[in-house]
């Protein structure tokens, strides 16, 4: 892509308003090469704002394992490393293999980087205790292919949208976080097909059921450099 801002916004709109998930993934396949550059040009800093919430709400909390759902090319992981100075485990999960491959090429320690002398020991421990980590390809439809209550924080930025992650997947996704852990995620305020309304209604029911507790909700500009402003809502919850 790498065209004008208007061209980039049209590509984004095509992905968000795609007919089905297969079309969405094909669009990402075609877009991956220029994805980071294009989103940089339109000022996509929602992942950075979400990581600012991570910093705020983990100041006095020990965080060793983070799962980034719908990680794409690794924006959240990048800001966790550079801005939050987080040094723990980051597992990333996405449906698109091309984007995961690009994320894997970034020096963000999604995978273990053993020293030569410790190679055998670390590989053995990895095989025994950390199978299939740290990059996971999975089309989110319900429960994730990870152990329940195995993460301190779950983050999902930009993927709670039509033809991406279904609203009905929320309870299954939240199971991956330990009790007392944090859930930091976003969705577009101007979301098509009443997605956000269904999203907020399900969150409200989960709050009433005492499954989660809301710590914060606020809006940020989705593309800061674009002429037409749309907003994303950032949510911060605690697992009860």
């Amino acid at each position: 892509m790498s065209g004008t801002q208007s061209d980039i916004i049209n590509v984004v709109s095509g992905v968000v308003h795609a007919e089905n998930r297969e079309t969405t993934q094909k669009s990402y396949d075609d877009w991956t090469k220029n994805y980071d550059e294009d989103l940089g040009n339109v000022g996509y800093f929602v992942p950075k704002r979400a990581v600012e919430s991570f910093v705020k709400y983990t100041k006095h909390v020990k965080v060793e394992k983070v799962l980034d759902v719908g990680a794409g090319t690794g924006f959240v992981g990048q800001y966790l490393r550079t801005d939050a100075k987080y040094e723990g485990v980051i597992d990333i999960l996405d449906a698109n293999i091309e984007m995961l491959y690009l994320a894997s090429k970034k020096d963000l320690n999604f995978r273990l980087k053993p020293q030569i002398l410790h190679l055998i020991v670390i590989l053995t421990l990895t095989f025994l205790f950390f199978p299939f980590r740290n990059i996971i390809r999975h089309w989110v439809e319900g429960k994730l292919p990870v152990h329940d209550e195995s993460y301190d924080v779950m983050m999902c930025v930009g993927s709670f949208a039509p033809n991406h992650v279904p609203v009905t997947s929320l309870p299954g996704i939240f199971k991956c976080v330990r009790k007392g852990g944090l859930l930091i995620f976003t969705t577009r305020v101007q979301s098509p097909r009443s997605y956000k309304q269904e999203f907020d209604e399900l969150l409200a029911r989960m709050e009433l059921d005492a499954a989660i507790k809301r710590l914060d909700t606020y809006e940020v500009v989705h593309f800061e450099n674009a002429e037409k402003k749309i907003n994303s809502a950032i949510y911060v919850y605690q697992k009860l």
Side-chain angles (χ1 to χ4, degrees):
M1 180 60 232
S2 294
T4 65
Q5 284 193 5
S6 179
D7 292 333
I8 295 168
I9 295 299
N10 286 337
V11 170
V12 174
S13 180
V15 172
V16 173
H17 296 86
E19 295 180 1
N20 51 55
R21 293 188 302 175
E22 288 74 17
T23 304
T24 299
Q25 291 306 312
K26 179 60 170 62
S27 298
Y28 280 126
D29 289 342
D30 298 336
W31 188 20
T32 297
K33 181 179 178 181
N34 298 311
Y35 182 83
D36 286 12
E37 181 182 355
D38 285 351
L39 291 188
N41 287 339
V42 294
Y44 179 61
F45 296 118
V46 180
K48 183 180 179 72
R49 306 297 169 230
V51 169
E52 288 171 356
S53 285
F54 174 93
V55 172
K56 178 179 179 180
Y57 287 96
T58 61
K59 280 184 179 179
H60 307 294
V61 178
K62 185 176 182 181
V63 178
E64 297 180 335
K65 299 176 185 177
V66 173
L67 178 65
D68 181 12
V69 175
T73 61
F75 279 145
V76 168
Q78 179 178 333
Y79 288 118
L80 284 173
R81 296 300 191 208
T82 59
D83 291 23
K85 307 302 180 186
Y86 171 67
E87 297 180 350
V89 168
I90 303 174
D91 286 357
I92 61 174
L93 182 151
D94 198 275
N96 191 276
I97 193 64
E98 298 295 333
M99 303 191 87
L100 285 174
Y101 178 74
L102 187 58
S104 74
K105 292 299 181 182
K106 297 179 179 179
D107 188 20
L108 300 174
N109 271 333
F110 292 135
R111 293 192 181 278
L112 293 170
K113 291 189 173 180
Q115 298 296 320
I116 297 299
L117 292 177
H118 300 145
L119 180 61
I120 296 177
V121 173
I122 291 179
L123 285 178
T124 301
L125 290 174
T126 301
F127 177 76
L128 290 174
F129 300 108
F130 304 112
F132 309 115
R133 300 182 79 163
N134 296 80
I135 299 176
I136 308 165
R137 187 189 186 190
H138 180 68
W139 206 323
V140 180
E141 292 182 295
K143 188 179 183 302
L144 301 182
V146 297
H147 294 299
D148 289 350
E149 301 189 8
S150 56
Y151 292 93
D152 302 304
V153 178
M154 185 284 298
M155 300 191 69
C156 182
V157 177
S159 291
F160 280 121
N163 295 321
H164 288 66
V165 178
V167 170
T168 52
S169 295
L170 277 168
I173 292 173
F174 287 5
K175 286 183 179 180
C176 75
V177 178
R178 64 172 174 78
K179 292 182 179 179
L182 295 177
L183 308 151
I184 302 173
F185 48 94
T186 74
T187 191
R188 283 191 178 206
V189 174
Q190 297 88 353
S191 185
R193 298 193 285 279
S194 9
Y195 183 95
K196 187 175 184 297
Q197 180 180 345
E198 297 173 16
F199 190 80
D200 287 339
E201 288 174 354
L202 180 52
L203 286 173
R205 290 198 297 271
M206 294 178 70
E207 284 187 77
L208 287 174
D209 291 340
I212 53 176
K213 174 184 177 182
R214 179 168 21 183
L215 302 181
D216 202 359
T217 304
Y218 59 99
E219 293 184 14
V220 297
V221 176
H222 195 78
F223 297 128
E224 296 185 13
N225 297 340
E227 291 184 9
K228 183 179 179 181
K229 303 299 182 186
I230 58 174
N231 287 351
S232 274
I234 295 181
Y235 302 79
V236 183
Y237 278 82
Q238 185 177 40
K239 174 85 171 285
L240 298 178

